[in-house]
Amino acid sequence: MAREREYSNQSKSGFAPCLVDCHVRVCQYRVCNNQMELMAAIKALESLKESCQVDLFTDSKYVKLGITEWIMRWKTNGFKNAKKKPVVNAQLWVRLDAVASEHQINWQWVKGHAGHVDNERADALANRGLELKLREL
């Protein structure tokens, strides 16, 4: 029980961006959900070999609002938030911003676990990746 409290904002996590023509599955262990959501978008975009138009669906309002609304202000303010504190996950935001700038992206939020076919598929792949990773430990 103490170990669970030690990682209260972290969990055993996996992510799987679901691409139409290919799959990217990566599993990381003991990181917070927001980091996994950011990595899913990053890995999906990094897997594209040339600049293209992308409809990117995420069930994370954190990712959608961060990349479409908050990031310009963070960049202007040296990656400090409105309270003048460092932006959480700044390195991942910088990485996402860089890879996103290579494409024309239509960022779309979908409600998680609500039957969106590709979102459910990505969730299943992430869970499978996590199961495989936990077996290795």
Side-chain angles (χ1 to χ4, degrees), residues 70-104:
W70 306 333
I71 198 155
M72 293 307 290
R73 190 173 5 167
W74 291 339
K75 288 167 44 171
T76 301
N77 296 332
F79 276 87
K80 301 273 194 230
N81 64 22
K83 295 180 181 178
K84 307 291 186 225
K85 304 277 185 190
V87 170
V88 176
N89 300 316
Q91 290 178 320
L92 293 175
W93 284 112
V94 168
R95 188 170 164 192
L96 179 57
D97 185 48
V99 72
S101 71
E102 299 171 12
H103 307 283
Q104 300 79 46

Side-chain angles (χ1 to χ4, degrees), residues 29-43:
Y29 187 67
R30 293 254 184 241
V31 297
C32 70
N33 185 56
N34 286 338
Q35 291 169 325
M36 288 289 91
E37 296 290 351
L38 286 163
M39 284 302 300
I42 290 166
K43 288 294 187 181

